[in-house]
Amino acid sequence: MKRREFIKSTLGLAAAAALAPSWLRADVVPNDDNQPLPLAEVVFDANIFQKNDAQTIIIFLSGGMSDVVGNIGHIQTIIDEGLSGKAYPSGGLTATVNGFWKEAGGDYLEQMLANGDLNLFRTCYQTDPMLAHGINQSRYMHGNGVGYNSGIVSTLMHVLNQNSMIQERAVLTNVAIDGSDYRLIEDGGTSQMLPSFLRAASISRDLSNPYNYAMTTDGLVSVGDTTSTELLNSANYSDRLTALSQRHNLFDALSDIFNRREELSDFLDDVINDTLPVQYPGTLDGKKLEAAMRILTKNPDTKIVSMLGGFSSWDDHSNAIVSHSKRASELFEAIYAAVQHMAAVGKENINIVLFGDFGRNMNLNSAAGWDHGNNQVVYWFGGKKFFNSLGVVGETDLDVWIPKARLYTKPKDTSYQFSPYSIASTIYALYGVTNPEILTGGYKPIDPSGYTDADGNSYTSFLKG
């Protein structure tokens, strides 16, 4: 990437970081409350932080992936007993050895499971009645339902900042690919905003500028469709950019990024020109995962990368089997490449977590779609340095609430289950928070120890000691 191109990209990412909380806020469903983060009560262990050296990719599936992708076992019962409102097709729903949906990337899941690179949890269950997308997205991307108005990513950055774990000269500590979702990076939980070097930097999947932008004549950033390119192409662009930012900009994040643009440009020049040991698919998810892994494998400063999975919502109320199988196949193919990349460069400290709003009703409606459900499958890849290899965790029953209308998976009474809020708690714990439930409204990390599976095998804890 040419330096001038990255300077433009930096302007776009800084503008996005500064503007996102206000110009996207219309889509937010408010939390139940707006309580300040209880940072003073957080107990932090720097030894855990340093030992794990964790780097995390959060992939949020807006709309919610169907449980069928990672837990197809109930489909045959539904077919045999004629329970679905619209009959399932006779083909395209093959079960793999471990009960994954073969046509939806199940073979990739099997390979990662066999290599010890996948922990799959089938019983992430929200006991509250199903809620609207906006409410669930806000709560689960914030990691709590009690009103701490801060995304999982920003909450983690506040904890690390409070404990002086990140140096001010760190480069791209917090990255959002293609803008991620602002609810993951929302910073409204404290009266003091994060310092600029810990705020999310939005990087496009091709590591260039994801936005159209320009500067107005009075030095303000204009984000959107614009044909004004004179300032961007001027010979003394860099000097003018610095002068304008210092004179007109009210956001420290913008000024600081401008002042460090050459350093950041050099870094991304190195990243984008690096020869990779694996080839990523040319899909949207492949490009996103490649960008994330290029940054993570070259830059120990980057602690967290967030992104959305797929082109659009997973809210498939129609044509679900076709849509889901295509999207899930592409997503797991991309993650498989990322996991192979980790192995090739010996990075056991990188992990990828995949979750969403909720799961889906297993009844096919009249439009061949799946409606909403309370249970979801959570996928956790990599992280061998700090995660035990548990494989597939949790057993489910088919809940036939209303035949031909409401068919759900739910945890067996004897099975381990956890709340979606425990996902955030697990992330905080692997970075050194020893009482993460303080930040999640009482929900502790994922820990199935003490439970046994259907074959009588005992689980151990997910996080290593």
Side-chain angles (χ1 to χ4, degrees):
M1 180 185 294
K2 301 298 184 183
R3 176 163 294 160
R4 176 177 293 178
E5 291 174 351
F6 181 67
I7 292 171
K8 297 178 184 179
S9 178
T10 304
L11 174 58
L13 68 88
L19 295 176
S22 57
W23 64 274
L24 287 176
R25 194 172 296 278
D27 291 335
V28 175
V29 177
N31 275 355
D32 296 335
D33 232 325
N34 190 14
Q35 302 295 323
L37 283 170
L39 293 175
E41 300 175 48
V42 171
V43 179
F44 183 82
D45 189 332
N47 291 325
I48 294 175
F49 175 81
Q50 293 164 354
K51 178 187 71 173
N52 288 346
D53 188 28
Q55 295 178 294
T56 300
I57 300 175
I58 298 177
I59 305 178
F60 193 87
L61 304 180
S62 179
M65 179 189 278
S66 172
D67 321 20
V68 174
V69 175
N71 187 14
I72 199 174
H74 298 296
I75 293 297
Q76 194 59 50
T77 299
I78 293 171
I79 293 173
D80 292 344
E81 299 183 13
L83 296 172
S84 180
K86 185 178 180 68
Y88 274 88
S90 57
L93 287 158
T94 311
T96 67
V97 171
N98 286 285
F100 309 142
W101 181 5
K102 181 180 179 66
E103 291 83 359
D107 287 340
Y108 292 113
L109 293 177
E110 289 287 356
Q111 290 179 63
M112 289 185 279
L113 184 69
N115 293 335
D117 291 315
L118 168 62
N119 284 289
L120 185 147
F121 301 93
R122 285 178 168 155
T123 49
C124 180
Y125 189 68
Q126 180 57 32
T127 55
D128 293 344
M130 282 180 294
L131 300 170
H133 290 288
I135 295 174
N136 274 18
Q137 289 169 5
S138 180
R139 289 176 173 175
Y140 300 161
M141 283 193 260
H142 284 170
N144 72 87
V146 296
Y148 304 144
N149 194 24
S150 178
I152 293 173
V153 175
S154 291
T155 298
L156 175 61
M157 292 297 109
H158 274 293
V159 171
L160 298 182
N161 185 52
Q162 176 176 268
N163 290 277
S164 303
M165 287 294 104
I166 308 295
Q167 298 300 311
E168 188 171 351
R169 295 301 300 175
V171 175
L172 296 176
T173 303
N174 174 5
V175 174
I177 302 294
D178 282 359
S180 180
D181 187 294
Y182 71 99
R183 282 165 289 204
L184 280 170
I185 61 177
E186 188 170 9
D187 185 15
T190 69
S191 58
Q192 184 67 41
M193 297 289 285
L194 284 166
S196 60
F197 66 97
L198 293 180
R199 297 181 197 172
S202 177
I203 303 291
S204 70
R205 57 184 175 272
D206 59 0
L207 299 177
S208 64
N209 182 18
Y211 304 98
N212 294 318
Y213 57 83
M215 275 191 174
T216 61
T217 54
D218 59 355
L220 299 179
V221 174
S222 171
V223 178
D225 185 13
T226 176
T227 58
S228 176
T229 59
E230 291 183 8
L231 285 173
L232 299 182
N233 295 326
S234 61
N236 62 343
Y237 177 81
S238 180
D239 293 340
R240 294 177 68 180
L241 191 59
T242 299
L244 285 170
S245 69
Q246 291 174 347
R247 187 179 339 133
H248 297 285
N249 175 51
L250 299 179
F251 295 96
D252 288 340
L254 237 53
S255 295
D256 290 349
I257 290 176
F258 287 155
N259 292 339
R260 298 181 61 191
R261 63 191 178 278
E262 291 191 9
E263 175 187 357
L264 294 172
S265 177
D266 289 343
F267 168 72
L268 277 206
D269 277 344
D270 184 38
V271 166
I272 202 168
N273 292 316
D274 192 31
T275 301
L276 299 184
V278 299
Q279 182 173 352
Y280 284 82
T283 59
L284 176 65
D285 287 315
K287 292 176 181 177
K288 288 182 179 180
L289 265 298
E290 179 180 340
M293 288 296 295
R294 279 182 177 275
I295 293 171
L296 288 170
T297 56
K298 295 285 288 187
N299 185 38
D301 285 349
T302 303
K303 298 304 177 185
I304 200 151
V305 177
S306 56
M307 66 181 75
L308 295 178
F311 276 95
S312 59
S313 173
W314 292 73
D315 193 27
D316 288 327
H317 291 278
S318 62
N319 201 30
I321 293 176
V322 173
S323 297
H324 252 65
S325 59
K326 181 179 186 299
R327 276 202 295 267
S329 293
E330 291 182 356
L331 178 58
F332 291 132
E333 181 185 17
I335 292 174
Y336 179 70
V339 168
Q340 294 296 102
H341 191 172
M342 294 177 201
V345 297
K347 284 282 192 177
E348 294 192 336
N349 64 319
I350 299 175
N351 70 107
I352 304 171
V353 59
L354 186 72
F355 66 107
D357 311 8
F358 34 55
R360 317 291 300 181
N361 187 343
M362 300 188 77
N363 174 71
L364 270 185
N365 62 29
S366 59
W370 287 311
D371 301 322
H372 302 170
N374 273 14
N375 192 68
Q376 68 172 301
V377 177
V378 172
Y379 306 80
W380 222 305
F381 305 90
K384 289 182 178 180
K385 187 173 183 179
F386 37 75
F387 289 142
N388 286 310
S389 181
L390 306 183
V392 177
V393 178
E395 298 86 38
T396 57
D397 284 324
L398 178 64
D399 181 11
V400 184
W401 187 24
I402 304 175
K404 298 185 181 296
R406 297 288 183 263
L407 311 174
Y408 302 110
T409 58
K410 70 174 185 179
K412 288 181 177 290
D413 291 339
T414 57
S415 176
Y416 173 69
Q417 62 178 277
F418 61 92
S419 164
Y421 301 128
S422 288
I423 299 168
S425 190
T426 305
I427 292 171
Y428 301 146
L430 67 90
Y431 282 88
V433 180
T434 60
N435 62 339
E437 64 274 11
I438 288 294
L439 299 169
T440 62
Y443 293 90
K444 294 186 177 183
I446 297 169
D447 182 6
S449 59
Y451 285 82
T452 56
D453 62 19
D455 298 322
N457 300 311
S458 297
Y459 293 124
T460 187
S461 62
F462 183 32
L463 281 160
K464 293 180 178 179

